[in-house]
Amino acid sequence: LREAAGTDPDYALLHERLAAADLRLAGFAPGTDAELEALLYRSHGAVQQLAAQVLAGGRSDALAAFGALLGRGIGLTEAIRELRQDAVDGTLRVPLERLRAAGVAPESLRGPTPAAVVPALEDLANRARGALAGSSRTLARDERRAQSHGLVLAALHEQLLDVLAGARWDVSTPRAAHP
């Protein structure tokens, strides 16, 4: 991998992904938006940063920002799409403070999506859209081709958010497929 990647990518970023997996296996549920942001960086952002470095053949602040924003957008989209399954598994990613503010018990997310949680999901979707759109703005024109994987992922997740919004955030039925 090192030879194929050109200059040496920061493989220590893989440790972040392992730390996120440990948290999920332990049943960690973020209590606040800040905890969610940290989890999203570890679970998605670090991996996207590493992918961007490998494909670009180097490191830069723009690639770090691209990966972090792309990972945040993907992670937020998946947190919405997998809300019901996360509730069943006991590994929610929607911050508990948001659920409390909406008067929604985590157990109630195992069935149809409660109307009271929709504003929180819409806010998370808006944050996801902002991160996905922001990721492409971090790239210089000459960097875009090397990062086409991430740009495609961003477009797919934006379309998935459209599908979820069209379903009025009802994720109680089998998972929405990627468009």
Side-chain angles (χ1 to χ4, degrees):
L1 285 175
R2 286 179 190 255
E3 289 174 23
T7 58
D8 197 21
D10 184 4
Y11 288 108
L13 290 166
L14 291 174
H15 183 270
E16 295 294 335
R17 182 65 184 110
L18 293 173
D22 282 345
L23 289 169
R24 298 269 298 156
L25 288 170
F28 172 77
T32 65
D33 283 341
E35 289 176 358
L36 174 62
E37 289 295 321
L39 179 64
L40 293 175
Y41 175 75
R42 288 184 147 173
S43 63
H44 293 80
V47 172
Q48 293 304 324
Q49 282 180 328
L50 180 58
Q53 290 175 4
V54 168
L55 292 170
R59 302 182 197 189
S60 72
D61 290 342
L63 292 174
F66 172 72
L69 286 168
L70 177 61
R72 180 184 304 139
I74 291 170
L76 286 167
T77 303
E78 290 178 1
I80 296 166
R81 179 190 66 193
E82 298 170 9
L83 178 65
R84 180 184 173 280
Q85 190 60 51
D86 284 354
V88 169
D89 295 342
T91 58
L92 284 175
R93 287 176 274 180
V94 173
L96 297 175
E97 71 180 6
R98 286 178 174 267
L99 297 178
R100 277 192 296 276
V104 174
E107 307 80 47
S108 69
L109 299 172
R110 295 178 183 158
T113 304
V117 80
V118 167
L121 297 179
E122 288 173 340
D123 182 59
L124 292 176
N126 287 335
R127 289 174 46 202
R129 288 181 195 282
L132 293 168
S135 67
S136 67
R137 288 192 300 267
T138 66
L139 297 173
R141 185 178 179 102
D142 62 335
E143 294 175 309
R144 294 180 70 79
R145 183 177 175 105
Q147 301 307 321
S148 60
H149 85 289
L151 298 172
V152 168
L153 282 174
L156 287 171
H157 282 80
E158 287 172 357
Q159 289 180 17
L160 179 55
L161 287 168
D162 292 342
V163 169
L164 294 170
R168 302 181 59 96
W169 310 107
D170 181 10
V171 293
S172 62
T173 55
R175 266 194 229 177
H178 275 296

